[in-house]
Amino acid sequence: MNKMITVDIAKSILKSLAIQREMITIPIVDAVDCFCAEAVFSPISVPSFDNSAMDGYALCFDELQSEMEISAMVKAGSTTKEAIKTGTAVRIFTGAPIPSGADTVVKQEIVRVNGNRFSIDPSLVNKGDFVRVVGAQCKADDEILGRGDKISFGTIALLASLGVQDVKVFRKPKVGVILTGDEVVTSELELQDGQIYDANGPMLCAALMKLGIQVEFVEKVKDEAFEVEASIKKLIEKVDVLILSGGISVGDFDFVRPALQNLGIEELFYKVAQKPGKPFYAGVLGSKFIFALPGNPSSSLSCFQVYVRPFLNRFSGDEYAYDSDFKFPLVQEYKTDSSLTFFLKCELKNNMVRVLNGQESFNLVSFNKATGLVEIPSRDAQDVNDGLYNYYPF
Ligand SMILES: Nc1nc2c(c(=O)[nH]1)N[C@H]1C(S)=C(S)[C@@H](COP(=O)(O)OP(=O)(O)OC[C@H]3O[C@@H](n4cnc5c(N)ncnc54)[C@H](O)[C@@H]3O)O[C@H]1N2
Ligand code: MOO
């Protein structure tokens, strides 16, 4: 009989696994949601020239008067560097270089223009107004991105603004999926008696794609001991992480665990004190990792969400992937006297979590409203949650 481990122990086992990460250099536009593998230093100062933050008039603050002549015009992209004529102002537009001799921009809304002159209330102007000075964002050689920082599309704007074209990131894992279950068919086929449509294949593909992971394969295997073992043996060669769906329980046709044992895969754990997803398996073979998810789709999804997804993020460079950032109160108290931790389909609204109806692990209807899963601790851990519950957003 296998001893069940707790959710926290299962997470801590996965959290402490050594991962050999590889670095790759990729174009910045491909790096969204990747983790930076090597610090980036700015090649230039930005802005690289003093420029105007407003459409208006550039002038020298010490020469400001209530009436001024407009002696020239400079627009964005202008490369001439003419000095400002003493005592005058220059018409200027947002992003245009400040002429030498000028140090202040007045926005056009506060002047009254008359021909080539304008009048202004000087008390409305402060020295340096609306001038974006060289290096205000960053200076050449400043550290812009640190190792381990997550790259967002904001980061990509930042890197692009510095002229950085490529970035070194941690390579995402190669992942493949093996589906078991002779009753499971794809949606192109008409259902015969006893058959069901595959929910886990599409769900796992979508979840992996959302992590920016390209799925190497989704293979369907027959519920036969030899077939299961041969497929795992062949396909594990192609990936860093192999995910199996179904066939991991104790039925006569559940061949996954014996196959993994025969192939010499080291079992990290099998069975976690949770619902859904009790018969969840994790194993390791050298630098490769294997997760076997229980076949019931809610159980598969729950185990993926709580354990596999953070693992893949950790593999991709996120050292904090298992530290839940999201804790919320429940709309309605949820009573349980179970020794198992529950992961329930729920809806997050107005910073409160509502547990949805239809929690059975075969029932997928509540996924139409569910925004994530909420963790309800077992009876032994209930007094330590402060009324806030871990939430795992989809
Ligand atoms: N005697 C016991 N029986 C079961 C136990 C147990 O402890 N003792 N655990 C139950 C629990 S909990 C779960 S969860 C399931 C997990 O079983 P398996 O991982 O072996 O999964 P299967 O038997 O292959 O399938 C379970 C269920 O899910 C359906 N399924 C499978 N694959 C898919 C798919 N790709 N898309 C949609 N649905 C799928 C399958 O038809 C079954 O109905 O074991 C319980 N039994
Ligand atoms: O744990 Mo099973 O996942 O309850 O259906």
Short mmCIF file of all heavy atoms in Angstrom, two decimals, residues 6 12 69 143 178 250 259 278 293 304 321 341:
data_model
loop_
_atom_site.label_atom_id
_atom_site.label_comp_id
_atom_site.label_asym_id
_atom_site.label_seq_id
_atom_site.Cartn_x
_atom_site.Cartn_y
_atom_site.Cartn_z
N THR A 6 1.33 14.73 1.66
CA THR A 6 0.49 15.93 1.66
C THR A 6 0.82 16.80 0.45
O THR A 6 1.88 16.64 -0.18
CB THR A 6 0.72 16.78 2.93
OG1 THR A 6 2.07 17.26 2.88
CG2 THR A 6 0.48 15.99 4.21
N SER A 12 7.00 20.60 -2.16
CA SER A 12 8.39 20.86 -1.76
C SER A 12 9.35 19.88 -2.44
O SER A 12 10.50 20.24 -2.73
CB SER A 12 8.56 20.90 -0.24
OG SER A 12 8.35 19.62 0.26
N GLU A 69 9.43 86.67 -29.11
CA GLU A 69 9.43 86.41 -30.55
C GLU A 69 9.64 84.90 -30.78
O GLU A 69 10.41 84.27 -30.06
CB GLU A 69 10.58 87.19 -31.19
CG GLU A 69 10.70 86.98 -32.69
CD GLU A 69 12.05 87.44 -33.24
OE1 GLU A 69 12.68 88.32 -32.63
OE2 GLU A 69 12.46 86.87 -34.28
N GLU A 143 22.38 48.65 -15.40
CA GLU A 143 21.75 47.32 -15.52
C GLU A 143 20.25 47.49 -15.72
O GLU A 143 19.58 48.13 -14.92
CB GLU A 143 22.02 46.45 -14.28
CG GLU A 143 21.46 45.05 -14.48
CD GLU A 143 21.79 44.07 -13.36
OE1 GLU A 143 22.95 44.04 -12.89
OE2 GLU A 143 20.87 43.32 -12.96
N ILE A 178 1.38 11.91 -23.51
CA ILE A 178 0.88 10.58 -23.90
C ILE A 178 -0.49 10.39 -23.24
O ILE A 178 -0.63 10.54 -22.03
CB ILE A 178 1.83 9.45 -23.45
CG1 ILE A 178 3.20 9.60 -24.13
CG2 ILE A 178 1.21 8.09 -23.75
CD1 ILE A 178 4.22 8.52 -23.73
N VAL A 250 -5.45 2.11 -9.95
CA VAL A 250 -5.13 0.73 -9.55
C VAL A 250 -5.90 -0.33 -10.33
O VAL A 250 -5.88 -1.51 -9.98
CB VAL A 250 -5.41 0.55 -8.03
CG1 VAL A 250 -4.41 1.35 -7.22
CG2 VAL A 250 -6.85 0.98 -7.68
N ALA A 259 4.78 0.44 -15.94
CA ALA A 259 5.66 0.72 -17.09
C ALA A 259 6.80 1.64 -16.66
O ALA A 259 7.97 1.42 -17.00
CB ALA A 259 4.86 1.36 -18.22
N LYS A 278 -6.01 12.38 -6.55
CA LYS A 278 -5.23 11.59 -5.59
C LYS A 278 -4.15 10.75 -6.28
O LYS A 278 -2.99 10.81 -5.88
CB LYS A 278 -6.20 10.72 -4.79
CG LYS A 278 -5.60 10.11 -3.57
CD LYS A 278 -6.67 9.55 -2.65
CE LYS A 278 -7.72 8.74 -3.40
NZ LYS A 278 -8.25 7.59 -2.71
N LEU A 293 -0.80 12.14 -14.81
CA LEU A 293 -2.01 12.79 -14.29
C LEU A 293 -3.16 11.79 -14.31
O LEU A 293 -3.31 11.06 -15.30
CB LEU A 293 -2.39 13.98 -15.16
CG LEU A 293 -1.27 14.98 -15.51
CD1 LEU A 293 -1.82 16.04 -16.47
CD2 LEU A 293 -0.75 15.64 -14.25
N PHE A 304 -2.21 19.41 -13.05
CA PHE A 304 -1.39 20.23 -13.94
C PHE A 304 -1.21 21.62 -13.34
O PHE A 304 -0.09 22.14 -13.23
CB PHE A 304 -2.02 20.33 -15.33
CG PHE A 304 -1.19 21.16 -16.27
CD1 PHE A 304 -0.15 20.59 -16.99
CD2 PHE A 304 -1.41 22.53 -16.39
CE1 PHE A 304 0.65 21.36 -17.82
CE2 PHE A 304 -0.60 23.31 -17.22
CZ PHE A 304 0.42 22.71 -17.94
N ALA A 321 8.14 29.92 -8.57
CA ALA A 321 6.93 29.41 -9.22
C ALA A 321 5.97 28.71 -8.26
O ALA A 321 4.78 28.68 -8.51
CB ALA A 321 7.32 28.46 -10.35
N THR A 341 -6.82 17.63 1.10
CA THR A 341 -6.89 19.02 0.63
C THR A 341 -7.78 19.04 -0.61
O THR A 341 -7.63 18.19 -1.48
CB THR A 341 -5.49 19.52 0.25
OG1 THR A 341 -4.66 19.41 1.40
CG2 THR A 341 -5.52 20.97 -0.23
#
